[in-house]
Amino acid sequence: MSRAMRVALVVVLTAVVWTPPAAGQETVEFQLRLTRGEVLHATFTASGEIAFQVADQRQTSSFTVEAREVTRVLAVDSDGTMTVEVVFEEFRISEGGRTEEAIDAPITLKVRPDGRVVERQTGDYAEEDFPFAFPGRAARIGERWTRQTRIEEAGITGQGTVTYTLAGVERVAEGRVARITYAVEGQVSGADIGPLPPGAQSRATGTIRGNGELFWAVERGRLLRLNDETTFEAQVEVSAQEQTIRVALTLQSKAQRVPLPAERVTVPAVSAEFLIAPGKGIGPFALDQSVVDLTGRLGHPTSQDPTPGRRAPVVFWTNGLAGLVDTADGNRLVGLEIADRRYRTDKGIAFGSSQGAVLMAYGMSPARQEITMPNLGGARILIYNDLGIAFAITSDNQHAQAGPAHAPVGAVDWITVFPPGQAGRIYTLP
């Protein structure tokens, strides 16, 4: 599922239409106003229905998505440029009677107060504006502005125009809320209909139509609610071995975003069986146990030499637990590691949690170490030495794409606990 459907159809090129506001009329100035350490929550729901037709055969399928959208403000520079992380937590996809949980790849951006993206640090966010295209100057009610945009959804791509209208302004206790409506018109340029035979080529044409509304807190400078509906109608021609197959494809999607008060966001309790306890242990496995003790419970482990940048060799048991061994005593543990979503800290951090979630939970200034694992790729280690815990963050695509057992770039791939103050036994610290 693309970012366009999850948040809003946002823009990549600059505006076309503008009429200055008439004298004496109320105007709205759009500025992104977020402060360091802020965390914004929203519920996000989406649904889609896809229909394929080949000759007289027609097939349909549908899906729904539920998630909590979390925006974390990691830094604000002296010029007002904000570093924001946006990630969908508790991400669930339902299709064909089955519901699966997924890990969303965090998007980390540096954004100016005028909404322009100046740097993309993680994630696949391609747009030039966040969270949507501002008009670039004060707008009055009824004012319109347009942008050209790249559109992508469920494998269908195209180009289009988004026309925004400042439809009204409401006054609430927290200040003014601007209601912006938008319409999307575009042309399909490509469609992924699945694996093609060797040598086959495909060509797609069609139309994109959509509309929606969003609500912007003017004085607070942030997105509130969003509703979006989009229809894609595409005709795909697949040519192979002097034969052409024509496929008609229709996708209708709906999305909604609703703010979620912080007091309604809670961290679920963790049972002792799956608790990652900094400085103590992981579940029933404690740091003061020996390698022999754990081998008696878990079976004979496999071993691995230290990864470049780490001092301690590692042993792996079949249940997924890993032990870091003292180089001077092969029976003594200096750390334990886990990469399993069932295990989490009492702050809710687990495999797949975003880097921003770790920083907000445990502090913004951990010691950091970059390591590169042979045949696997890079990881950034966030080390909280005084607490006795460290988080390995996937830092490149090679690592992220090594298989489903690895987290996306910007997310926790494994967690290490060790005796407080003894990180130097595991890591090459400055």
Side-chain angles (χ1 to χ4, degrees):
M1 174 165 294
S2 74
R3 200 69 188 177
M5 181 174 173
R6 297 187 208 163
V7 184
L9 289 170
V10 291
V11 300
V12 297
L13 296 175
T14 308
V16 179
V17 177
W18 178 261
T19 304
Q25 291 190 350
E26 180 180 8
T27 61
V28 173
E29 185 171 349
F30 291 88
Q31 289 282 307
L32 187 62
R33 297 183 175 94
L34 302 175
T35 59
R36 184 179 186 271
E38 270 198 286
V39 183
L40 309 180
H41 301 272
T43 58
F44 178 83
T45 56
S47 62
E49 186 173 277
I50 305 173
F52 292 88
Q53 183 159 347
V54 181
D56 60 350
Q57 295 185 358
R58 179 181 173 87
Q59 292 184 338
T60 62
S61 63
S62 61
F63 64 86
T64 59
V65 171
E66 295 178 313
R68 181 175 67 235
E69 179 190 305
V70 185
T71 302
R72 296 181 174 93
V73 187
L74 304 181
V76 179
D77 297 343
S78 58
D79 63 356
T81 299
M82 293 150 275
T83 302
V84 297
E85 177 194 84
V86 183
V87 64
F88 286 88
E89 299 177 347
E90 299 182 8
F91 194 88
R92 292 182 293 273
I93 303 173
S94 299
E95 185 175 6
R98 297 181 304 171
T99 299
E100 296 182 357
E101 292 190 3
I103 296 176
D104 184 51
I107 288 175
T108 310
L109 308 170
K110 296 196 74 169
V111 189
R112 298 192 316 230
D114 64 1
R116 300 295 286 179
V117 175
V118 296
E119 183 181 341
R120 298 165 185 80
Q121 297 179 346
T122 67
D124 60 357
Y125 196 88
E127 291 81 7
E128 299 294 329
D129 301 273
F130 176 85
F132 66 97
F134 297 166
R137 62 188 77 185
R140 58 182 171 84
I141 296 174
E143 203 72 53
R144 295 191 299 172
W145 62 100
T146 66
R147 295 291 194 276
Q148 303 302 306
T149 183
R150 181 178 62 85
I151 303 170
E152 181 177 354
E153 191 59 64
I156 303 176
T157 57
Q159 298 289 327
T161 301
V162 185
T163 301
Y164 296 92
T165 303
L166 178 56
V169 178
E170 179 184 1
R171 283 169 173 76
V172 298
E174 294 82 8
R176 295 179 296 166
V177 174
R179 174 175 172 262
I180 299 108
T181 61
Y182 61 87
V184 183
E185 293 188 0
Q187 298 295 316
V188 171
S189 59
D192 181 2
I193 59 173
L196 299 177
Q201 295 182 336
S202 67
R203 184 176 68 91
T205 59
T207 60
I208 304 170
R209 298 284 185 273
N211 61 78
E213 62 178 359
L214 54 88
F215 296 84
W216 179 257
V218 178
E219 280 73 31
R220 298 172 66 203
R222 61 204 56 202
L223 180 66
L224 299 177
R225 298 186 302 279
L226 164 74
N227 296 290
D228 177 82
E229 295 187 14
T230 307
T231 299
F232 300 79
E233 293 184 342
Q235 296 77 44
V236 185
E237 291 186 352
V238 180
S239 300
Q241 298 180 353
E242 299 182 354
Q243 292 185 337
T244 299
I245 299 174
R246 293 175 175 83
V247 180
L249 173 63
T250 301
L251 167 64
Q252 294 179 314
S253 66
K254 296 181 180 180
Q256 183 179 62
R257 179 194 195 272
V258 179
L260 181 64
E263 58 269 19
R264 291 179 54 190
V265 180
T266 59
V267 177
V270 188
S271 68
E273 181 184 7
F274 296 112
L275 177 65
I276 299 173
K280 297 180 180 179
I282 296 173
F285 313 110
L287 286 168
D288 59 7
Q289 294 176 300
S290 68
V291 173
V292 170
D293 291 337
L294 293 181
T295 297
R297 297 170 60 184
L298 301 175
H300 191 72
T302 59
S303 62
Q304 178 179 301
D305 291 335
T307 300
R310 300 210 298 181
R311 299 178 184 276
V314 188
V315 294
F316 298 93
W317 287 279
T318 55
N319 72 334
L321 185 72
L324 294 140
V325 181
D326 190 340
T327 54
D329 182 352
N331 193 38
R332 179 186 178 187
L333 291 173
V334 295
L336 287 170
E337 292 182 346
I338 197 73
D340 186 326
R341 294 186 69 180
R342 296 175 300 170
Y343 294 83
R344 59 186 59 240
T345 72
D346 62 354
K347 296 180 183 292
I349 304 300
F351 173 88
S353 295
S354 69
Q355 177 172 298
V358 172
L359 295 172
M360 291 290 191
Y362 288 95
M364 302 296 288
S365 302
R368 299 176 185 241
Q369 183 175 6
E370 301 285 342
I371 66 173
T372 300
M373 297 163 284
N375 303 316
L376 186 59
R380 175 180 306 111
I381 314 297
L382 307 181
I383 305 167
Y384 296 88
N385 196 15
D386 292 345
L387 299 177
I389 193 165
F391 303 88
I393 308 295
T394 299
S395 61
D396 61 33
N397 285 327
Q398 180 188 356
H399 184 179
Q401 296 169 4
H406 295 282
V409 174
V412 174
D413 197 72
W414 74 84
I415 299 174
T416 306
V417 297
F418 50 87
Q422 297 187 30
R425 291 179 176 269
I426 301 173
Y427 306 104
T428 307
L429 299 178

